[in-house]
Amino acid sequence: MNRILKDGLTPDYGIKEVNETMEPCSLCGGELEEKKVEVIKKADGKVVVIKEVPALVCQQCGERYFSIDTVEHVNQILKEVSEQKVKLQKIRAGELDFKAVAL
Ligand SMILES: [Zn+2]
């Protein structure tokens, strides 16, 4: 991994580039650890959960960083999902409004 990207908190869980160095975490300075994570995106009006995505995860704050290659791979998956070239496995899911639960 040469260039590192950060999983941004955009409404569609977009992945944003933040820096070009491998360590440490650009948010908190914590140590990064190689892990396989789930990436949740939208494509073709559907929520797509991509499993086993290689990432660097901050051991302190949990921020996730992805290489450019990984982001390109994720984008290719989303493109093929949109074009219905790959089949999605059905998963159990549900949605609700933020206000559905009161504090
Ligand atoms: Zn961190």
Side-chain angles (χ1 to χ4, degrees), residues 10-85:
T10 56
D12 64 345
Y13 299 90
I15 296 170
K16 281 187 299 193
E17 182 179 348
V18 286
N19 64 46
E20 296 189 11
T21 56
M22 182 152 166
E23 298 183 81
C25 174
S26 64
L27 283 187
C28 75
E31 229 175 276
L32 302 181
E33 179 185 25
E34 281 185 44
K35 278 191 173 176
K36 297 282 173 65
V37 302
E38 284 187 358
V39 171
I40 301 170
K41 305 277 281 183
K42 277 189 177 177
D44 194 27
K46 291 181 283 245
V47 175
V48 181
V49 180
I50 306 168
K51 296 161 80 174
E52 298 288 306
V53 180
L56 292 171
V57 181
C58 176
Q59 292 180 330
Q60 276 191 71
C61 75
E63 188 58 63
R64 310 189 308 175
Y65 298 83
F66 301 92
S67 73
I68 292 242
D69 285 352
T70 299
V71 171
E72 282 175 357
H73 195 144
V74 165
N75 287 338
Q76 182 64 27
I77 289 170
L78 296 173
K79 184 170 170 274
E80 297 200 10
V81 168
S82 293
E83 293 166 350
Q84 295 173 2
K85 284 183 184 165

Coordinates of all heavy atoms in Angstrom, one line a residue, residues 10-85:
T10 N -19.5 10.6 4.5 CA -20.4 11.2 3.6 C -21.7 10.5 3.6 O -21.7 9.3 4.0 CB -19.8 11.3 2.1 OG1 -19.5 9.9 1.8 CG2 -18.5 12.1 2.1
P11 N -22.8 11.0 3.1 CA -24.1 10.4 3.2 C -24.1 9.0 2.5 O -24.8 8.1 3.0 CB -25.0 11.3 2.5 CG -24.4 12.6 2.6 CD -22.9 12.4 2.6
D12 N -23.3 8.8 1.5 CA -23.3 7.5 0.8 C -22.1 6.7 1.3 O -21.6 5.8 0.6 CB -23.3 7.7 -0.7 CG -22.0 8.4 -1.2 OD1 -21.3 9.0 -0.4 OD2 -21.8 8.3 -2.4
Y13 N -21.5 7.0 2.4 CA -20.3 6.3 2.9 C -19.2 6.4 1.9 O -18.5 5.4 1.6 CB -20.6 4.9 3.3 CG -21.7 4.8 4.4 CD1 -23.0 4.7 4.1 CD2 -21.3 4.9 5.8 CE1 -23.9 4.7 5.1 CE2 -22.2 4.8 6.8 CZ -23.5 4.7 6.4 OH -24.5 4.7 7.4
G14 N -19.0 7.5 1.2 CA -17.9 7.6 0.2 C -16.5 7.4 0.8 O -16.3 7.6 2.0
I15 N -15.6 7.1 0.0 CA -14.2 7.0 0.4 C -13.4 8.2 -0.1 O -13.4 8.5 -1.2 CB -13.6 5.7 -0.1 CG1 -14.4 4.5 0.5 CG2 -12.2 5.6 0.2 CD1 -14.1 3.2 -0.1
K16 N -12.8 8.9 0.9 CA -12.1 10.1 0.5 C -10.6 9.9 0.8 O -10.2 9.3 1.7 CB -12.6 11.2 1.4 CG -13.8 11.8 0.9 CD -14.1 13.1 1.8 CE -14.3 12.8 3.2 NZ -14.9 13.9 4.0
E17 N -9.8 10.6 -0.1 CA -8.3 10.5 0.1 C -8.0 11.6 1.2 O -8.5 12.7 1.2 CB -7.6 10.9 -1.2 CG -6.1 10.8 -1.1 CD -5.5 11.1 -2.4 OE1 -6.2 11.2 -3.4 OE2 -4.3 11.4 -2.4
V18 N -7.1 11.2 2.1 CA -6.7 12.2 3.1 C -5.2 12.5 3.1 O -4.7 13.6 3.3 CB -7.1 11.9 4.5 CG1 -8.6 12.2 4.7 CG2 -6.7 10.6 5.0
N19 N -4.4 11.4 2.9 CA -2.9 11.7 2.9 C -2.2 10.6 2.2 O -2.8 9.7 1.7 CB -2.4 11.8 4.4 CG -2.6 10.5 5.1 OD1 -2.2 9.4 4.6 ND2 -3.1 10.6 6.3
E20 N -0.9 10.7 2.0 CA -0.2 9.8 1.2 C 0.8 9.0 2.0 O 1.7 8.3 1.5 CB 0.6 10.5 0.1 CG -0.4 11.2 -0.9 CD 0.3 11.8 -2.1 OE1 1.5 11.4 -2.3 OE2 -0.3 12.5 -2.8
T21 N 0.8 9.1 3.3 CA 1.7 8.3 4.1 C 1.0 7.2 4.8 O -0.2 7.2 5.0 CB 2.3 9.2 5.2 OG1 1.3 9.8 6.0 CG2 3.2 10.3 4.6
M22 N 1.7 6.2 5.2 CA 1.1 5.0 5.7 C 0.7 5.1 7.2 O -0.2 4.6 7.7 CB 2.1 3.8 5.5 CG 1.5 2.5 6.0 SD 2.1 1.1 5.2 CE 1.5 -0.2 6.2
E23 N 1.6 5.8 8.0 CA 1.3 5.9 9.4 C 1.7 7.3 9.9 O 2.5 7.9 9.3 CB 2.1 4.9 10.2 CG 1.8 3.4 9.8 CD 2.7 2.5 10.6 OE1 2.2 2.2 11.8 OE2 3.7 2.1 10.1
P24 N 1.2 7.7 11.0 CA 0.1 7.1 11.8 C -1.2 7.6 11.4 O -1.4 8.2 10.3 CB 0.5 7.6 13.2 CG 1.1 8.9 13.0 CD 1.8 8.8 11.7
C25 N -2.3 7.3 12.2 CA -3.6 7.8 11.9 C -3.6 9.3 11.8 O -3.1 10.0 12.7 CB -4.5 7.3 13.0 SG -6.2 8.0 12.9
S26 N -4.2 9.9 10.7 CA -4.1 11.3 10.6 C -5.1 12.0 11.5 O -5.1 13.2 11.6 CB -4.3 11.7 9.1 OG -5.6 11.3 8.7
L27 N -6.0 11.3 12.1 CA -7.0 11.9 13.0 C -6.4 12.0 14.4 O -6.5 13.0 15.1 CB -8.3 11.1 13.0 CG -9.2 11.2 11.9 CD1 -10.5 10.5 12.2 CD2 -9.5 12.7 11.6
C28 N -5.9 10.8 14.9 CA -5.5 10.8 16.3 C -4.0 10.4 16.5 O -3.6 10.5 17.7 CB -6.4 9.9 17.1 SG -6.0 8.1 16.8
G29 N -3.3 10.1 15.5 CA -1.9 9.7 15.6 C -1.7 8.3 16.1 O -0.6 7.8 16.4
G30 N -2.8 7.5 16.2 CA -2.7 6.1 16.6 C -2.1 5.2 15.6 O -1.9 5.6 14.4
E31 N -1.7 4.0 16.0 CA -1.1 3.0 15.1 C -2.1 2.3 14.3 O -3.2 2.0 14.7 CB -0.4 2.0 16.0 CG 1.1 1.7 15.6 CD 1.8 0.7 16.5 OE1 2.3 1.2 17.5 OE2 1.7 -0.5 16.2
L32 N -1.7 2.1 13.0 CA -2.7 1.4 12.1 C -2.3 -0.1 12.0 O -1.2 -0.5 12.0 CB -2.6 2.1 10.7 CG -2.8 3.6 10.6 CD1 -2.7 4.0 9.2 CD2 -4.2 3.9 11.2
E33 N -3.4 -0.8 11.8 CA -3.3 -2.3 11.8 C -4.0 -2.8 10.5 O -5.1 -2.4 10.2 CB -4.0 -2.8 13.1 CG -4.0 -4.3 13.2 CD -4.8 -4.7 14.5 OE1 -5.7 -4.0 14.9 OE2 -4.5 -5.8 15.0
E34 N -3.4 -3.8 9.8 CA -4.0 -4.3 8.6 C -5.2 -5.2 9.1 O -5.0 -6.1 9.9 CB -3.0 -5.2 7.8 CG -2.1 -4.3 7.0 CD -1.2 -5.1 6.1 OE1 -1.7 -6.1 5.5 OE2 0.0 -4.8 6.0
K35 N -6.3 -5.0 8.5 CA -7.5 -5.8 8.8 C -8.4 -5.9 7.5 O -8.2 -5.2 6.6 CB -8.4 -5.1 9.9 CG -7.9 -5.3 11.3 CD -9.0 -4.7 12.2 CE -8.6 -5.1 13.7 NZ -9.5 -4.5 14.6
K36 N -9.3 -6.9 7.6 CA -10.4 -7.0 6.6 C -11.6 -6.4 7.1 O -12.0 -6.8 8.2 CB -10.6 -8.5 6.2 CG -9.3 -9.1 5.6 CD -9.1 -8.8 4.1 CE -7.8 -9.2 3.5 NZ -7.8 -10.7 3.5
V37 N -12.3 -5.5 6.4 CA -13.4 -4.8 6.9 C -14.6 -4.9 5.9 O -14.4 -5.4 4.8 CB -13.1 -3.3 7.2 CG1 -12.0 -3.2 8.2 CG2 -12.8 -2.6 5.9
E38 N -15.8 -4.5 6.4 CA -16.9 -4.4 5.5 C -17.1 -2.9 5.0 O -16.9 -2.0 5.8 CB -18.2 -4.8 6.2 CG -18.4 -6.3 6.4 CD -19.7 -6.6 7.0 OE1 -20.5 -5.7 7.3 OE2 -20.0 -7.8 7.2
V39 N -17.3 -2.8 3.7 CA -17.6 -1.4 3.2 C -19.0 -1.4 2.7 O -19.4 -2.3 2.0 CB -16.6 -1.1 2.0 CG1 -17.0 0.1 1.3 CG2 -15.2 -1.0 2.5
I40 N -19.7 -0.4 3.2 CA -21.2 -0.3 2.8 C -21.3 0.9 1.9 O -21.0 2.0 2.2 CB -22.0 -0.1 4.1 CG1 -21.8 -1.3 5.0 CG2 -23.5 0.0 3.7 CD1 -22.5 -1.2 6.4
K41 N -21.8 0.7 0.7 CA -22.0 1.7 -0.3 C -23.4 1.5 -0.9 O -24.1 0.6 -0.7 CB -20.9 1.6 -1.4 CG -19.5 1.6 -0.9 CD -19.0 3.0 -0.7 CE -18.6 3.7 -2.0 NZ -18.0 5.0 -1.7
K42 N -23.7 2.5 -1.8 CA -25.0 2.3 -2.6 C -24.6 2.2 -4.0 O -23.7 2.9 -4.5 CB -25.9 3.5 -2.3 CG -26.7 3.3 -1.0 CD -27.8 4.4 -0.9 CE -28.6 4.2 0.3 NZ -29.6 5.2 0.5
A43 N -25.4 1.4 -4.7 CA -25.2 1.3 -6.2 C -26.6 0.8 -6.7 O -27.2 -0.1 -6.2 CB -24.1 0.3 -6.6
D44 N -27.0 1.4 -7.9 CA -28.2 0.9 -8.5 C -29.4 1.0 -7.5 O -30.3 0.1 -7.6 CB -28.0 -0.5 -9.0 CG -29.1 -0.9 -10.0 OD1 -29.7 0.0 -10.7 OD2 -29.4 -2.1 -10.1
G45 N -29.4 2.0 -6.6 CA -30.5 2.2 -5.7 C -30.5 1.1 -4.6 O -31.4 1.1 -3.8
K46 N -29.5 0.3 -4.5 CA -29.4 -0.7 -3.5 C -28.2 -0.5 -2.5 O -27.2 0.1 -2.9 CB -29.3 -2.1 -4.1 CG -30.5 -2.5 -4.9 CD -30.3 -3.9 -5.4 CE -29.5 -3.9 -6.7 NZ -30.1 -4.3 -7.9
V47 N -28.4 -0.9 -1.3 CA -27.3 -0.9 -0.4 C -26.4 -2.1 -0.7 O -26.9 -3.3 -0.8 CB -27.8 -1.0 1.1 CG1 -26.6 -1.1 2.1 CG2 -28.6 0.3 1.4
V48 N -25.1 -1.9 -0.8 CA -24.2 -3.0 -1.2 C -23.2 -3.1 -0.1 O -22.5 -2.2 0.3 CB -23.5 -2.7 -2.5 CG1 -22.5 -3.8 -2.9 CG2 -24.5 -2.4 -3.6
V49 N -23.1 -4.3 0.5 CA -22.2 -4.6 1.6 C -21.0 -5.4 1.0 O -21.3 -6.5 0.5 CB -22.8 -5.3 2.8 CG1 -21.7 -5.6 3.8 CG2 -24.0 -4.6 3.3
I50 N -19.8 -4.8 0.9 CA -18.7 -5.5 0.4 C -17.8 -6.1 1.5 O -17.4 -5.3 2.4 CB -17.9 -4.6 -0.6 CG1 -18.8 -4.0 -1.6 CG2 -16.7 -5.4 -1.2 CD1 -18.1 -2.9 -2.4
K51 N -17.7 -7.4 1.6 CA -17.0 -8.0 2.7 C -15.5 -8.2 2.4 O -15.1 -8.3 1.3 CB -17.7 -9.3 3.1 CG -19.1 -9.1 3.6 CD -19.9 -10.3 3.6 CE -19.6 -11.2 4.7 NZ -20.5 -12.4 4.7
E52 N -14.7 -8.4 3.5 CA -13.3 -8.8 3.4 C -12.5 -7.8 2.6 O -11.6 -8.2 1.8 CB -13.2 -10.2 2.7 CG -13.9 -11.3 3.5 CD -13.1 -11.7 4.8 OE1 -11.9 -11.9 4.7 OE2 -13.7 -11.6 5.9
V53 N -12.8 -6.5 2.8 CA -12.0 -5.5 2.1 C -10.8 -5.1 2.9 O -10.9 -4.9 4.1 CB -12.9 -4.2 1.9 CG1 -12.1 -3.1 1.2 CG2 -14.2 -4.5 1.2
P54 N -9.6 -5.2 2.3 CA -8.3 -4.9 3.0 C -8.3 -3.4 3.4 O -8.5 -2.6 2.6 CB -7.2 -5.3 2.1 CG -7.8 -5.3 0.7 CD -9.3 -5.6 0.9
A55 N -8.0 -3.2 4.7 CA -7.9 -1.8 5.1 C -6.8 -1.7 6.2 O -6.4 -2.7 6.8 CB -9.2 -1.4 5.7
L56 N -6.4 -0.5 6.5 CA -5.6 -0.2 7.7 C -6.6 0.5 8.7 O -7.2 1.5 8.3 CB -4.5 0.8 7.3 CG -3.4 0.1 6.4 CD1 -2.4 1.2 6.0 CD2 -2.7 -1.0 7.2
V57 N -6.7 -0.1 9.8 CA -7.6 0.4 10.8 C -6.8 1.0 12.0 O -5.9 0.3 12.6 CB -8.6 -0.7 11.3 CG1 -9.6 -0.2 12.3 CG2 -9.3 -1.3 10.1
C58 N -7.2 2.2 12.5 CA -6.5 2.8 13.6 C -6.9 2.0 14.9 O -8.1 1.8 15.2 CB -7.0 4.3 13.8 SG -6.3 5.0 15.2
Q59 N -5.9 1.6 15.6 CA -6.2 0.9 16.9 C -6.8 1.7 18.0 O -7.3 1.2 18.9 CB -4.9 0.2 17.4 CG -4.4 -0.9 16.4 CD -3.1 -1.5 16.8 OE1 -2.3 -0.9 17.5 NE2 -2.9 -2.8 16.5
Q60 N -6.6 3.1 17.8 CA -7.1 3.9 18.9 C -8.6 4.4 18.6 O -9.5 4.3 19.4 CB -6.3 5.2 19.0 CG -5.1 5.0 19.9 CD -4.4 6.3 20.2 OE1 -4.9 7.1 21.0 NE2 -3.2 6.5 19.7
C61 N -8.8 5.0 17.4 CA -10.1 5.6 17.1 C -10.9 4.8 16.1 O -12.1 5.1 15.9 CB -9.9 7.0 16.6 SG -9.3 7.2 14.9
G62 N -10.3 3.8 15.5 CA -11.1 2.9 14.5 C -11.3 3.5 13.1 O -11.9 2.9 12.3
E63 N -10.6 4.6 12.9 CA -10.7 5.2 11.5 C -10.1 4.2 10.5 O -9.2 3.5 10.8 CB -9.9 6.5 11.5 CG -10.1 7.3 10.2 CD -11.5 7.6 9.9 OE1 -12.1 8.4 10.6 OE2 -12.0 7.2 8.8
R64 N -10.7 4.1 9.3 CA -10.3 3.2 8.3 C -9.6 3.9 7.1 O -10.1 4.9 6.7 CB -11.5 2.3 7.8 CG -12.3 1.8 9.0 CD -13.4 0.8 8.6 NE -14.2 1.3 7.6 CZ -15.2 0.5 7.0 NH1 -15.3 -0.7 7.4 NH2 -15.9 1.0 6.1
Y65 N -8.5 3.3 6.6 CA -7.8 3.8 5.5 C -7.7 2.7 4.4 O -7.5 1.6 4.8 CB -6.4 4.3 5.9 CG -6.5 5.4 7.0 CD1 -6.6 5.1 8.3 CD2 -6.4 6.7 6.6 CE1 -6.6 6.1 9.3 CE2 -6.4 7.7 7.5 CZ -6.5 7.4 8.9 OH -6.6 8.4 9.8
F66 N -7.9 3.2 3.2 CA -7.8 2.2 2.1 C -6.8 2.6 1.0 O -6.6 3.8 0.8 CB -9.2 2.1 1.4 CG -10.3 1.7 2.3 CD1 -11.0 2.6 3.0 CD2 -10.5 0.4 2.5 CE1 -12.0 2.2 3.8 CE2 -11.6 0.0 3.3 CZ -12.3 0.9 4.0
S67 N -6.1 1.7 0.4 CA -5.2 2.0 -0.7 C -6.0 2.4 -1.9 O -7.2 2.1 -2.1 CB -4.3 0.8 -1.0 OG -5.0 -0.1 -1.7
I68 N -5.3 3.1 -2.8 CA -5.9 3.5 -4.1 C -6.4 2.3 -4.9 O -7.5 2.3 -5.4 CB -5.0 4.3 -5.0 CG1 -4.7 5.7 -4.3 CG2 -5.5 4.5 -6.4 CD1 -5.1 6.9 -5.1
D69 N -5.6 1.3 -4.9 CA -6.0 0.0 -5.6 C -7.3 -0.5 -5.0 O -8.1 -1.0 -5.8 CB -4.9 -1.0 -5.5 CG -3.7 -0.7 -6.4 OD1 -3.8 0.2 -7.2 OD2 -2.7 -1.4 -6.2
T70 N -7.4 -0.5 -3.7 CA -8.6 -1.1 -3.1 C -9.8 -0.2 -3.4 O -10.9 -0.7 -3.7 CB -8.4 -1.1 -1.5 OG1 -7.3 -2.0 -1.3 CG2 -9.6 -1.7 -0.8
V71 N -9.6 1.1 -3.4 CA -10.8 2.0 -3.7 C -11.2 1.8 -5.2 O -12.4 1.7 -5.5 CB -10.4 3.5 -3.5 CG1 -11.4 4.4 -4.1 CG2 -10.2 3.7 -2.0
E72 N -10.2 1.6 -6.1 CA -10.5 1.3 -7.5 C -11.3 0.0 -7.6 O -12.2 -0.1 -8.4 CB -9.3 1.3 -8.4 CG -8.8 2.8 -8.7 CD -7.5 2.8 -9.4 OE1 -6.9 1.7 -9.6 OE2 -7.1 3.9 -9.7
H73 N -10.8 -1.0 -6.8 CA -11.5 -2.3 -6.9 C -12.9 -2.2 -6.4 O -13.9 -2.7 -7.0 CB -10.7 -3.3 -6.0 CG -11.0 -4.7 -6.2 ND1 -10.1 -5.7 -6.1 CD2 -12.2 -5.3 -6.4 CE1 -10.6 -6.9 -6.3 NE2 -11.9 -6.7 -6.5
V74 N -13.1 -1.4 -5.3 CA -14.5 -1.2 -4.7 C -15.3 -0.5 -5.8 O -16.5 -0.9 -6.1 CB -14.4 -0.4 -3.4 CG1 -15.8 0.2 -3.1 CG2 -13.9 -1.2 -2.3
N75 N -14.8 0.5 -6.5 CA -15.5 1.2 -7.5 C -15.9 0.3 -8.7 O -17.0 0.4 -9.2 CB -14.7 2.5 -8.0 CG -14.7 3.6 -6.9 OD1 -15.6 3.6 -6.0 ND2 -13.7 4.4 -7.0
Q76 N -15.0 -0.6 -9.0 CA -15.3 -1.5 -10.1 C -16.4 -2.5 -9.7 O -17.3 -2.7 -10.5 CB -14.0 -2.4 -10.4 CG -14.2 -3.4 -11.6 CD -14.4 -2.7 -12.9 OE1 -14.1 -1.5 -13.1 NE2 -15.2 -3.4 -13.8
I77 N -16.4 -2.9 -8.4 CA -17.5 -3.8 -8.0 C -18.8 -3.0 -8.1 O -19.8 -3.5 -8.6 CB -17.2 -4.2 -6.5 CG1 -16.1 -5.2 -6.4 CG2 -18.5 -4.8 -5.9 CD1 -15.6 -5.5 -5.0
L78 N -18.8 -1.7 -7.6 CA -20.1 -0.9 -7.6 C -20.6 -0.7 -9.1 O -21.8 -0.7 -9.3 CB -19.9 0.4 -6.9 CG -19.5 0.3 -5.4 CD1 -19.2 1.6 -4.8 CD2 -20.7 -0.4 -4.7
K79 N -19.6 -0.5 -10.0 CA -19.9 -0.3 -11.4 C -20.6 -1.6 -11.9 O -21.6 -1.5 -12.6 CB -18.7 0.0 -12.2 CG -18.8 0.3 -13.6 CD -17.5 0.8 -14.2 CE -17.6 0.9 -15.8 NZ -17.2 -0.3 -16.4
E80 N -20.0 -2.7 -11.6 CA -20.6 -4.0 -12.1 C -21.9 -4.3 -11.5 O -22.7 -5.0 -12.1 CB -19.5 -5.1 -12.0 CG -18.3 -4.8 -12.8 CD -17.4 -6.0 -13.2 OE1 -17.9 -7.2 -12.9 OE2 -16.3 -5.8 -13.7
V81 N -22.1 -3.9 -10.2 CA -23.4 -4.1 -9.6 C -24.4 -3.2 -10.3 O -25.5 -3.7 -10.6 CB -23.3 -3.7 -8.1 CG1 -24.7 -3.6 -7.5 CG2 -22.5 -4.8 -7.3
S82 N -24.1 -2.0 -10.6 CA -25.0 -1.1 -11.3 C -25.4 -1.6 -12.7 O -26.5 -1.5 -13.1 CB -24.3 0.3 -11.5 OG -24.2 0.9 -10.2
E83 N -24.4 -2.3 -13.3 CA -24.6 -2.8 -14.7 C -25.2 -4.2 -14.6 O -25.4 -4.9 -15.6 CB -23.3 -2.9 -15.5 CG -22.8 -1.5 -15.8 CD -21.3 -1.5 -16.3 OE1 -20.7 -2.5 -16.2 OE2 -20.9 -0.4 -16.7
Q84 N -25.5 -4.7 -13.4 CA -26.0 -6.0 -13.1 C -25.2 -7.1 -13.7 O -25.7 -8.1 -14.2 CB -27.5 -6.1 -13.6 CG -28.3 -5.1 -12.7 CD -29.8 -5.0 -13.2 OE1 -30.2 -5.6 -14.2 NE2 -30.5 -4.1 -12.5
K85 N -23.9 -7.0 -13.6 CA -23.0 -8.0 -14.1 C -22.6 -9.0 -13.0 O -22.1 -10.1 -13.3 CB -21.7 -7.4 -14.6 CG -21.8 -6.7 -16.0 CD -20.4 -6.2 -16.4 CE -20.5 -5.4 -17.7 NZ -19.3 -4.6 -18.0

